[in-house]
Amino acid sequence: MTSPLKNINKEKVLRLKEELTYQQGQIVSKTLVQNDAISITLFSFFKGEEISTHESKGDAFVTCLDGAGQVTIDGKDHELKEGESIVMPAGHPHAVLAKENFKMLLVVVF
């Protein structure tokens, strides 16, 4: 059976925030799992970059790996710093803004 995990070393201790670099003026992503049940993606946002308001069909669990970001859910802003997490519920409008350089782990469960 093929592993659903991709783009990441197995059987090695990882520091997820080191799996991506910051690139000026960009959002960089690295998909680790993508199927009908779950999506796991690492993101790095250069300061000021954002993902505009949208909705997801699954509950989205975000963990800040580095820096600080602002997650807006239903029009309410929440600041995330390293080690903090938040859930963006399915079907609710949400957005992400890098208040400074910001790395996050996104797990969406469908």
Side-chain angles (χ1 to χ4, degrees):
M1 178 175 142
T2 305
S3 171
L5 277 173
K6 59 184 179 179
N7 300 321
I8 199 158
N9 291 320
K10 297 173 180 74
E11 298 184 38
K12 178 183 172 191
V13 175
L14 303 170
R15 290 184 48 90
L16 290 177
K17 69 181 185 180
E18 295 174 2
E19 291 293 314
L20 292 174
T21 60
Y22 292 112
Q23 295 185 23
Q24 185 167 352
Q26 293 186 34
I27 298 172
V28 178
S29 66
K30 184 177 190 179
T31 301
L32 306 181
V33 176
Q34 182 73 52
N35 60 43
D36 293 339
I38 192 167
S39 170
I40 303 174
T41 309
L42 295 171
F43 285 92
S44 109
F45 294 73
F46 197 80
K47 180 181 179 178
E49 294 300 312
E50 66 182 316
I51 296 175
S52 61
T53 302
H54 64 285
E55 294 180 17
S56 172
K57 293 181 180 179
D59 288 326
F61 181 84
V62 174
T63 298
C64 176
L65 302 173
D66 188 48
Q70 176 180 291
V71 175
T72 303
I73 305 168
D74 290 325
K76 184 176 179 188
D77 296 335
H78 307 272
E79 187 164 329
L80 282 184
K81 295 182 180 174
E82 186 172 340
E84 297 178 332
S85 301
I86 194 166
V87 174
M88 301 180 295
H92 290 253
H94 58 270
V96 179
L97 168 67
K99 301 295 273 183
E100 57 187 61
N101 286 349
F102 174 59
K103 292 181 183 177
M104 70 179 209
L105 173 68
L106 173 67
V107 178
V108 183
V109 180
F110 301 99

